[in-house]
Amino acid sequence: MSDLPPSDEELKAAQALAKDLERHVPTGGAHDDALATALMIRNSVDDELDELGLARSKPKQRESMLPTVLFRAVGFAAAAAVIAGISFMAHEALTPVASNNPMDSPSRHPVDVRPRQAKALDSTDVIHAQSAAIAKHDPAELDASMREYRGRMLAALESQYGGSP
Amino acid sequence: MKAAALLLLVLAAPADPRALWIRAAHDVHAKADLAIASGNEVDARNQLVAFLSVPPPASVDETNARAVQQDIWFRVAELDLHVGTPSGAEADANSGLALGRADDLFVANLLIVRGRALELRHDDRAAIADYSEAQRINEVLLSQAVEKKP
């Protein structure tokens, strides 16, 4: 995979592929190609997530890594243009795997018993929102998810500086 | 008696300017939220920009000052995107990023909102570069978050 910036031709080809995939209605003789590409992406994404050590029992973490993995799986140029179109397909590809895994049983998920203070500046939700914002090319949801984190951050800072939040 | 006098002294002592500045940031976010909720995004933007026009107290830790200001620039840029002025959003994001770079939420947020602005302005290559850099930061943050989890 090259990290070189994509050429205009590559971008156009990737954008066309993205539209085909997004519509689920590939035109002309591209149908098989689109399906093959989708299958390749699906397999690559699963392989990459496995290699990253992200257990299938942690679908949320796997989901949050999707944009990164897509970059690796299909190459920078294609991923950048296609990401919005196929991210839902990759998500769908992961879901059956996760749901068939006994480790995904709700009873196997650890219960977070840490006190709220210990999670005072937990930014996990914002990180997930960032991944979604990158994949969807829309920061609106990110702004909403920042609201809670922002409040906790400012309260912590005010307290740090001797104020009474 | 001594305890009461000490309490009075503490109550009478001027508040730390750093705490006051953070409180002002908290308040301006709240005012912006109210303005947005009532459909007055221009007023929200004005409130946020007015806060940014006053520099933080010099004694505020540089990283903290950058985080607070970049977060507000992010909101301003997002508002500009929302009202359909991507060029303004790009300029806002640039102003925020000019405050400094780090692998943190605030820089990533600014890159994402600038990426969107660039996309809307049909500068796809620059948008890809911003998304890619935001994604790199996001990966760093995710790794850190995963390491912190028990």
Side-chain angles (χ1 to χ4, degrees), chain A residues 5-8 11 15 61 64-65 67-68 71-72 76 80 114 122-124 126-128 130-131 133-134 137 139-140 142-143 146-147 149-150 153-154 157-158 160-165, chain B residues 16 18-19 22-23 25-26 29 33 59-61 64 67-68 71 74-75 78 81 104-106 108-109 112-113 116 119 124-125 128 131-132 134-135 138-139 141-142 145-146 148-150:
Chain A
S7 67
D8 289 341
L11 279 174
Q15 283 164 350
Q61 284 178 14
S64 73
M65 287 297 288
T68 301
F71 273 102
R72 291 178 182 169
F76 184 86
R114 289 174 298 170
D122 187 340
S123 58
T124 312
V126 180
I127 295 169
H128 288 309
Q130 281 184 343
S131 290
I134 295 168
H137 298 209
L142 181 56
D143 184 45
M146 274 296 291
R147 190 157 296 134
Y149 179 82
R150 177 182 297 131
M153 177 189 77
L154 292 174
L157 286 178
E158 192 174 354
Q160 177 187 327
Y161 290 136
S164 53
Chain B
D16 188 315
R18 297 171 299 177
I22 298 294
R23 168 53 56 181
H26 184 275
H29 278 296
D33 286 343
S59 53
V60 174
D61 178 84
N64 292 341
V68 170
D71 184 37
F74 165 68
R75 286 200 81 181
E78 213 280 326
L81 273 186
D104 61 25
L105 291 173
F106 311 100
N109 286 347
I112 291 168
V113 76
R116 182 59 185 153
E119 257 191 295
D124 291 346
R125 284 171 185 271
I128 286 170
Y131 285 137
S132 179
Q135 186 56 47
N138 188 253
E139 192 174 348
L141 296 175
L142 183 69
V146 168
K148 283 179 191 171
K149 297 276 182 188

Side-chain angles (χ1 to χ4, degrees), chain A residues 37-57:
Chain A
T37 303
L39 187 63
M40 181 271 290
I41 292 169
R42 170 183 173 152
N43 291 337
S44 300
V45 165
D46 263 348
D47 289 347
E48 290 270 349
L49 289 169
D50 287 342
E51 283 178 22
L52 283 170
L54 290 171
R56 297 184 181 209
S57 59

